[in-house]
Amino acid sequence: MDIAAANQEALRRLLAAQPVLVGTARARDVIPGMHDRLVLHAGPPITWDRASGPLRGAVIGGLLFEGLARTEEEAVRLVEQGEVVLEPTHHHAAVGPMAGVTTASMVVYVVENRATGTRAYCNLNEGYGKVLRYGAYSEEVLARLRWMNDVLGPAVGAALERMGGLDMKALIARQLTMGDEGHNRNVAGSALFGRLLAPHLARVGLPPDALEQVLRYFADNDLAVLNPVMAACKATADAAHGIPGSTVVTCMARNGTDFGIRVSGLGDRWFTAPAEVPVGLYFPGFAADDANPDIGDSTITETVGIGAFAMAAAPAIVKFVGGTPREAMDATLEMYEITVGENPAFGLPPLDFRGTPTGIDVRKVVRTGITPRINTGIAHRRPGIGQIGAGLVRPPMACFERALEALATALGR
Amino acid sequence: MPVVGLIRRGAYVDSVALMLVQREARAAPGVEEAGCVMATEANKALLRAAGLDFPDLATAGPDDLVLVARAATEDAARAAIALAEEALARRRQAAAPGYRPRTVASAVRQLPEATLALISVPGRFARGPAQEALDAGLHVLLFSDNVPLADEIALKARAAARGLLCMGPDCGTAIVGGAALGFANRVRRGTIGLVGAAGTGLQEVTSLIHRFGGGITHAIGTGGRDLSVAVGGVTMLQGLRALVLDPATEVIVLVGKPPAPEVAATLLAAARACGKPVVVCFVGAPVEAGGGVQNATTLEEAARLAVRRATGADPGGLGLRALPAQEAARLQPEQRYVRGLYAGGTLCYEALVLLRGHVGPVASNTPLVPEEQLDPPTRSRGHTVVDMGADEFTQGRLHPMLDPTLRLQRLQQEAADPETAVVLFDVVLGYGAHPDPAGALVPVVRALRAQGAGRSVCLVASVCGTDDDPQDAAAQRAALVDAGVLVEDSNARAVRLAGLIAEARGSRGAPWSRTPIAPAEAPPPWPDVSAVRRLLQAPPAVINVGLELFAESLQEQGVPVVSVDWQPPAGGKKHLLDLLDKLEA
């Protein structure tokens, strides 16, 4: 197939996606191929011996949460002896921020792409501090997860059912006009999310204490919307995957050790290279030496053209790298150089409502030497400590170079 | 003395910008020598020769930037490098505040009215941006040299299929819609249009037209290889057709070094059939006059004939200023030879052709016949004329029109040779050229005079340019005359003076006579040039890819320009580029 035509088709599918948040459910009930001895993780496939601190911590936490292990040592032994398996979320139509660890009994968001009828999944956001996604697994962390599973998830699910689903594309479009870019900054989006859910939450039969806790979750957590946004992006990206001849990137993800990409025309292969440490600002008491290499599936946002690609919408973020608002504009302008098209549904006010750059073309990345920009959180390299900063990172060029070589082979050129 | 070096991987900066930065680094306190270059093999050799080697230098490749300094102390060397980095950053900031597009496509988005791309990236990378520009509907002026012939043929075919002009590769000069592109002079607007396969040839003819009181509509450069059999004069034919259809153009001038005979015959047939008067000056290759076509033997004659056709009046003569016999009488018996040191390629070629009529065979690095090849090009023998803008002199350094250093050294070398009677040279002005070439020459000339002690050498020069040029030709001439240079009004005249002095010292000529080229039986079909006509209707809006210098000179002229922040594609990795080309074919 003609590459240009294949890429136009990929772009068409990215733009045509209609991701709707339809509800919440247990992972084992909805995620394809999910089972009780499966632990999903962010990024490309990885073996336990190569896993970074935060990923190990999150896997341990996930096994403790499931009751498959009672101690850290037991959890490690389960993995080492192959009694549980680690597989990428992306192999199961799912995504997860940071470590991305998702286990069978966890509640997940369900997003349906109404243009294709296909679904994507993402776990619930835990908020700030010591959290599983950054590799923490203390009793406090597990208790929080249990509350999310028992109270928050079902309540939100019931509210969504009453609403008949929530149009994520419209929500993202609105948050972009309100100073969010949909990845690192989700203040406006989370507020919108909570506001839309609130009247329905009031009607799902929660006792007042539980209702207060759920509403407080939305009041306190600026990242609440990130996870359904990620699922919406995953549902969008998957629609563009598997088009023969297409050089469009349909997945970028990191497991804390490797950065990996997948390309529409290259099936389920991953093209990986060592992940880099983000450049950014650290919370008091932490420095670059403490940082884990880049981790998480949240790069799915950039993959479909928001996040750092929509940086012009969120000039407040440049403070992470001591930049100026002008640089936020330049970040988006630069991304147009490597994308196939623009998404008119996501208009950027500072660029006269020009659509976000959409559909990363491997060829353009390699030719221009411009790798995609990514906004991201920074995890401590040791498990259990959590987030220590936030900043900017780019994928290693080698991922794209390897994909290009594979494309040339696949297309017999 | 300690040497400190720094490599910035995959950071491309154009050579002119680097030269300016290097100058700043050299002037830093305690610095003995500094280098700021892209790490090509040639540049690395130059750095080593200059004692600027450092352990990592060997690891740097052609797409890596090297900053290196040798200074009294390590701190001073480090400070010089910091200074160079700062200067680079400052230039970058000054060149374009705000977002700098990385591709032609995104530059066009910033300048939607763009009509032309001026491309001066290294030749091996030129095809990509040129193709991108043509696909975006832009005419192209491809300044880059060393572009593979196959690329040129492909680009010109692509351009012709879209009705667009691809001027070049190796097109140094054009004036389009009143805007000087590349190296070009500021000349009066008028009724004479030119197409030239010769950069300094176009500069000389346009400048002399201005001087003779005429003016030009457009000067379309084609690149030297356009008139080869392989390329077939595609661009010259397009240019000719566009000027024929351009209502402001009344007289047309075609300029070039000798074309392939069959290409010349076809173009001549087209010129005869075109319906407007055409003056043809293929330096050293006369054409048969007739059917509205006149042949000009020299660039000066081309300008004169064109002005006469355009105004109906002869512009009058430029007289020979110096007295050759009197100059010759001052020389010592062994002083017999002419040594020509040229910055302009066509001017050099014209010198070879004309000088032969006075002195016989002339050795050169770009000889008229292979037997007269000068080897090595660094040592003159007998009568010698050297093109100092040829590859062997510009590898890893700037063209002599920008950086006079090498030519000044050679000037001293020639003057010290007891057999040298005349040193002949050109001074090329205009946009893109050195800001004050005479100013750079004068101290050297004065020093030569001071140490002459009973022996003098005739210094003969012409200044190619106009009084309206940024350097002001009148002031340049005056400075040279004041220093004792015999300045003539055209290259042809300067060569003639040099030749006559040599004749007075005993040389005998062997005229370069060639049978005039006859026109082909039938003119070729005219190409569709409607897009070219639109280009010529107004000053262009330009996308600049490569030398910042050209963007700056366009800005000075008030021409809208957006510069692409060009970097070698795929980080310069050859195998990836090959794959990309295959995937984009």
Side-chain angles (χ1 to χ4, degrees):
Chain A
M1 191 177 185
D2 176 32
I3 295 175
N7 285 348
Q8 282 307 312
E9 175 60 16
L11 177 67
R12 190 193 66 73
R13 295 191 198 175
L14 289 172
L15 302 188
Q18 292 180 303
V20 175
L21 178 60
V22 293
T24 62
R26 299 268 162 193
R28 77 161 63 77
D29 298 334
V30 287
I31 291 183
M34 192 70 211
H35 59 80
D36 288 352
R37 300 239 154 204
L38 176 61
V39 177
L40 301 182
H41 65 81
I46 188 159
T47 51
W48 179 252
D49 55 306
R50 293 186 66 242
S52 66
L55 179 53
R56 285 180 176 222
V59 171
I60 292 165
L63 295 173
L64 294 173
F65 175 76
E66 288 294 326
L68 289 170
R70 276 163 306 169
T71 63
E72 180 184 333
E73 294 74 24
E74 235 179 274
V76 171
R77 202 170 58 241
L78 280 177
V79 183
E80 282 177 347
Q81 293 177 347
E83 289 179 34
V84 294
V85 265
L86 302 180
E87 284 180 15
T89 48
H90 274 284
H91 291 187
H92 296 269
V95 280
M98 303 312 285
V101 162
T102 307
T103 52
S105 58
M106 285 184 185
V107 170
V108 293
Y109 287 111
V110 182
V111 168
E112 183 174 301
N113 180 352
R114 293 258 156 97
T116 56
T118 52
R119 292 185 163 198
Y121 310 91
C122 185
N123 56 16
L124 271 54
N125 194 283
E126 306 159 80
Y128 299 101
K130 290 199 171 180
V131 285
L132 186 77
R133 70 176 187 280
Y134 279 95
Y137 53 84
S138 63
E139 179 46 38
E140 177 194 349
V141 172
L142 300 176
R144 174 85 168 161
L145 287 174
R146 281 193 286 272
W147 173 78
M148 287 165 58
N149 243 30
D150 299 340
V151 180
L152 176 67
V156 170
L160 287 167
E161 199 180 328
R162 280 178 54 90
M163 294 167 73
L166 194 160
D167 182 346
M168 291 304 296
K169 195 171 188 172
L171 186 148
I172 293 168
R174 289 182 75 189
Q175 73 173 132
L176 293 181
T177 65
M178 295 168 72
D180 285 353
E181 38 69 279
H183 183 176
N184 255 26
R185 186 178 164 90
N186 285 289
V187 187
S190 295
L192 285 174
F193 189 34
R195 190 179 79 163
L196 291 166
L197 288 171
H200 302 281
L201 285 169
R203 286 280 171 197
V204 297
L206 289 173
D209 283 356
L211 179 59
E212 187 205 331
Q213 285 168 354
V214 170
L215 291 176
R216 184 158 300 286
Y217 169 87
F218 288 104
D220 290 348
N221 187 358
D222 287 346
L223 292 172
V225 84
L226 173 63
N227 299 38
V229 164
M230 284 174 58
C233 293
K234 172 65 175 165
T236 302
D238 276 357
H241 192 71
I243 301 169
S246 172
T247 59
V248 167
V249 174
T250 49
C251 167
M252 298 193 288
R254 321 83 104 198
N255 57 30
T257 303
D258 298 321
F259 198 112
I261 67 166
R262 295 214 264 182
V263 178
S264 179
L266 289 173
D268 291 336
R269 296 166 65 183
W270 288 89
F271 301 93
T272 64
E276 290 171 29
V277 173
V279 176
L281 279 188
Y282 290 87
F283 300 157
F286 297 105
D289 286 351
D290 303 317
N292 199 68
D294 201 16
I295 185 167
D297 286 335
S298 53
T299 30
I300 194 70
T301 54
E302 278 84 8
T303 310
V304 301
I306 61 171
F309 283 49
M311 191 86 137
I317 291 193
V318 295
K319 70 183 179 191
F320 280 122
V321 286
T324 62
R326 172 76 238 177
E327 286 164 35
M329 303 260 277
D330 292 352
T332 294
L333 289 171
E334 189 190 44
M335 292 301 98
Y336 289 113
E337 310 266 17
I338 57 168
T339 44
V340 178
E342 301 172 9
N343 191 341
F346 298 153
L348 296 166
L351 293 175
D352 198 17
F353 293 93
R354 189 174 175 187
T356 54
T358 305
I360 301 160
D361 184 343
V362 169
R363 297 174 305 167
K364 293 187 176 189
V365 172
V366 175
R367 182 173 283 281
T368 59
I370 301 170
T371 42
R373 289 172 179 261
I374 291 161
N375 295 341
T376 194
I378 304 174
H380 198 287
R381 58 170 64 249
R382 289 209 311 273
I385 296 177
Q387 183 172 11
I388 58 169
L392 311 180
V393 71
R394 297 199 194 229
M397 180 56 92
C399 297
F400 298 89
E401 293 178 352
R402 281 171 195 151
L404 185 82
E405 285 162 355
L407 277 162
T409 308
L411 298 173
R413 309 271 174 111
Chain B
M1 275 197 183
V3 174
V4 175
L6 173 84
I7 299 171
R8 291 226 318 247
R9 307 269 172 201
Y12 175 82
V13 181
D14 80 61
S15 52
V16 178
L18 285 173
M19 181 188 77
L20 299 171
V21 168
Q22 184 168 293
R23 198 181 286 166
E24 286 196 44
R26 267 195 190 130
V31 171
E32 191 184 55
E33 181 60 289
C36 305
V37 292
M38 299 306 294
T40 59
E41 284 310 313
N43 281 345
K44 285 199 279 185
L46 285 170
L47 289 180
R48 290 188 181 111
L52 289 173
D53 204 354
F54 61 100
D56 283 347
L57 181 61
T59 68
D63 303 307
D64 299 333
L65 171 65
V66 173
L67 305 174
V68 54
R70 186 173 71 238
T73 64
E74 201 170 306
D75 282 350
R78 279 187 208 294
I81 286 175
L83 189 79
E85 284 204 282
E86 193 193 299
L88 278 171
R90 199 172 55 231
R91 283 190 61 78
R92 222 183 121 77
Q93 206 51 45
Y99 182 69
R100 304 201 62 196
R102 292 283 293 271
T103 55
V104 172
S106 99
V108 169
R109 178 137 193 142
Q110 246 171 278
L111 187 66
E113 67 271 31
T115 49
L116 184 142
L118 199 173
I119 298 169
S120 53
V121 301
R124 67 202 151 112
F125 297 126
R127 198 182 72 185
Q131 212 160 285
E132 214 191 322
L134 293 170
D135 291 348
L138 302 178
H139 301 274
V140 167
L141 189 149
L142 188 47
F143 180 89
S144 315
D145 55 9
N146 295 315
V147 174
L149 180 64
D151 288 1
E152 172 168 357
I153 293 169
L155 286 172
K156 289 200 166 177
R158 208 178 184 101
R162 289 161 172 73
L164 298 168
L165 271 183
C166 177
M167 298 181 265
D170 207 3
C171 174
T173 299
I175 302 174
V176 174
L181 303 165
F183 297 119
N185 303 90
R186 190 159 165 179
V187 297
R188 195 177 302 114
R189 311 255 4 224
T191 57
I192 301 169
L194 301 92
V195 192
T200 43
L202 275 179
Q203 286 194 264
E204 176 84 343
V205 179
T206 52
S207 296
L208 288 170
I209 287 173
H210 175 92
R211 198 146 178 217
F212 290 147
I216 73 149
T217 50
H218 313 283
I220 297 168
T222 69
R225 263 188 332 217
D226 190 61
L227 302 184
S228 66
V229 174
V231 183
V234 181
T235 310
M236 189 168 276
L237 193 64
Q238 282 177 305
L240 175 61
R241 181 60 175 166
L243 293 177
V244 167
L245 297 179
D246 174 33
T249 300
E250 290 169 13
V251 178
I252 297 169
V253 181
L254 303 182
V255 187
K257 291 187 197 175
E262 52 268 60
V263 176
T266 309
L267 286 168
L268 189 57
R272 285 188 173 216
C274 83
K276 284 188 181 176
V278 180
V279 175
V280 179
C281 178
F282 293 143
V283 177
V287 299
E288 279 183 11
V293 170
Q294 281 182 287
N295 178 66
T297 310
T298 64
L299 298 166
E300 181 193 328
E301 191 185 2
R304 180 187 307 281
L305 290 175
V307 171
R308 196 160 69 197
R309 281 278 188 106
T311 63
D314 194 287
L318 302 168
L320 204 56
R321 289 165 184 264
L323 305 171
Q326 192 182 311
E327 293 298 333
R330 296 195 189 122
L331 301 173
Q332 301 294 320
E334 67 274 19
Q335 286 184 275
R336 284 175 293 154
Y337 297 125
V338 177
R339 301 286 159 79
L341 306 176
Y342 274 87
T346 323
L347 299 177
C348 176
Y349 197 84
E350 185 178 57
L352 284 167
V353 171
L354 297 178
L355 192 58
R356 198 181 186 85
H358 296 282
V359 304
V362 182
S364 176
N365 59 334
T366 56
L368 293 180
V369 290
E371 307 83 77
E372 290 157 22
Q373 181 75 43
L374 182 67
D375 188 27
T378 48
R379 205 176 315 123
S380 301
R381 62 174 157 83
H383 296 292
T384 298
V385 172
V386 182
D387 179 2
M388 303 218 54
D391 288 350
E392 60 265 37
F393 293 112
T394 54
Q395 282 290 340
R397 62 164 67 234
L398 288 172
H399 194 279
M401 272 159 61
L402 284 164
D403 179 2
T405 315
L406 202 59
R407 195 159 69 143
L408 291 174
Q409 286 167 7
R410 184 69 176 255
L411 182 63
Q412 287 163 314
Q413 179 189 324
E414 299 299 344
D417 183 339
E419 294 192 326
T420 302
V422 181
V423 180
L424 170 67
F425 58 93
D426 57 350
V427 175
V428 184
L429 311 181
Y431 291 107
H434 189 282
D436 181 15
L441 281 156
V442 162
V444 176
V445 170
R446 287 197 192 283
L448 288 177
R449 297 232 166 268
Q451 67 194 211
R455 195 179 74 88
S456 72
V457 172
C458 296
L459 298 170
V460 178
S462 65
V463 174
C464 173
T466 73
D467 297 353
D468 293 344
D469 273 330
Q471 301 89 346
D472 183 358
Q476 292 281 307
R477 272 189 218 105
L480 292 170
V481 169
D482 193 44
V485 179
L486 304 170
V487 180
E488 292 295 331
D489 287 327
S490 71
N491 182 51
R493 278 167 203 279
V495 177
R496 181 158 162 246
L497 173 61
L500 290 172
I501 294 170
E503 277 187 31
R505 303 296 310 154
S507 289
R508 287 295 163 261
W512 178 254
S513 67
R514 287 287 177 272
T515 316
I517 297 163
E521 280 181 20
W526 289 116
D528 173 15
V529 292
S530 38
V532 183
R533 291 184 63 198
R534 282 196 295 279
L535 170 71
L536 300 183
Q537 277 163 8
V542 177
I543 306 294
N544 184 57
V545 192
L547 299 172
E548 275 303 326
L549 169 81
F550 292 147
E552 286 160 20
S553 91
L554 287 166
Q555 273 157 1
E556 264 170 52
Q557 300 174 61
V559 172
V561 57
V562 165
S563 279
V564 171
D565 182 15
W566 183 85
Q567 296 291 321
K573 291 178 187 165
K574 177 91 176 59
H575 82 285
L576 291 173
L577 255 180
D578 289 346
L579 291 182
L580 280 169
D581 286 343
K582 284 180 196 158
L583 286 174
E584 281 161 18

